Amino acid sequence: RAGMVRSRPQRVTWWLWTVIGIIVALHYYESGARQTIWVAIAAIVGPALVSLLSIPFGQGGTTKVDKWCAALCIVCLVLRAFSVSAHGILIFALVADAIASWPTLDEYRRIPDRGARAAWVNGGIGAVLNLFALERLDGWLLLQPLFLVSLHGCALYFLYRHVPARTELVNA
């Protein structure tokens, strides 16, 4: 079909996001953030489904960047396991999440037409709405939702930074 974009998810990103989602959800549950845990649960279910679909339809997983990202995420997650502070646990999980995002964001930077724009817009809206679900403005509880807003913002910037104007499409 003309104009249809076929997204090919980065395997390493989505598998790491699934594992990190489990860790973040456990942190939210342990820290008492029950009112916003639905986003953390979605951060498990959504990536898990994409991870499974990435087996036959995805790409990557064997490049140097993929291997470095996976290794650095594992280091962060191991450090997280030894952290006695709930705040340290959250920081290590978010750093791992940022590292896991790199292959996908880098691909969107290089090839903006590869991403599923509607999915990232919907995820971004959900991340912003999650900010309004907080009962109190505690910096530590804000950290993960703000990270998600930033992540979606970066992805959307790369995906939309050069969308041809209607006149460019007509004249092409």
Side-chain angles (χ1 to χ4, degrees), residues 7 11 17 35 37 50 70 72 79-81 100 102 105 112 116 125 143 153 155:
S7 186
R11 288 183 188 104
W17 277 346
Q35 70 276 11
I37 199 167
V50 175
L72 288 171
L79 290 173
R80 177 232 169 256
W102 177 256
L105 292 176
I125 291 169
L143 199 55

Side-chain angles (χ1 to χ4, degrees), residues 15 28 30 42 45 49 55 86 124 142 147:
W15 283 102
Y28 260 55
E30 291 168 359
V45 176
L49 292 173
I55 295 169
L142 273 170
F147 172 81

Side-chain angles (χ1 to χ4, degrees), residues 102-124:
W102 177 256
T104 294
L105 292 176
D106 186 51
E107 181 184 11
Y108 293 166
R109 180 188 60 79
R110 291 180 291 109
I111 312 166
D113 293 340
R114 279 274 177 87
R117 290 181 175 126
W120 283 98
V121 168
N122 288 334

Side-chain angles (χ1 to χ4, degrees), residues 10-65:
Q10 289 284 340
R11 288 183 188 104
V12 71
T13 295
W14 290 95
W15 283 102
L16 290 171
W17 277 346
T18 301
V19 172
I20 294 165
I22 292 167
I23 291 167
V24 170
L26 289 172
H27 166 75
Y28 260 55
Y29 184 80
E30 291 168 359
S31 68
R34 307 291 196 295
Q35 70 276 11
T36 57
I37 199 167
W38 63 272
V39 171
I41 291 171
I44 299 168
V45 176
L49 292 173
V50 175
S51 296
L52 292 172
L53 289 171
S54 78
I55 295 169
F57 302 113
Q59 65 182 4
T62 57
T63 68
K64 271 188 194 178
V65 171

Side-chain angles (χ1 to χ4, degrees), residues 20-21 23-31 33 36 40 76-77 79-81 83-98 138-148:
I20 294 165
I23 291 167
V24 170
L26 289 172
H27 166 75
Y28 260 55
Y29 184 80
E30 291 168 359
S31 68
T36 57
C76 284
L77 297 176
L79 290 173
R80 177 232 169 256
S83 179
V84 293
S85 160
H87 300 134
I89 291 168
L90 179 61
I91 294 296
F92 284 123
L94 291 178
V95 169
D97 202 339
D138 178 349
W140 290 103
L141 291 179
L142 273 170
L143 199 55
Q144 199 260 349
L146 286 175
F147 172 81
L148 288 176

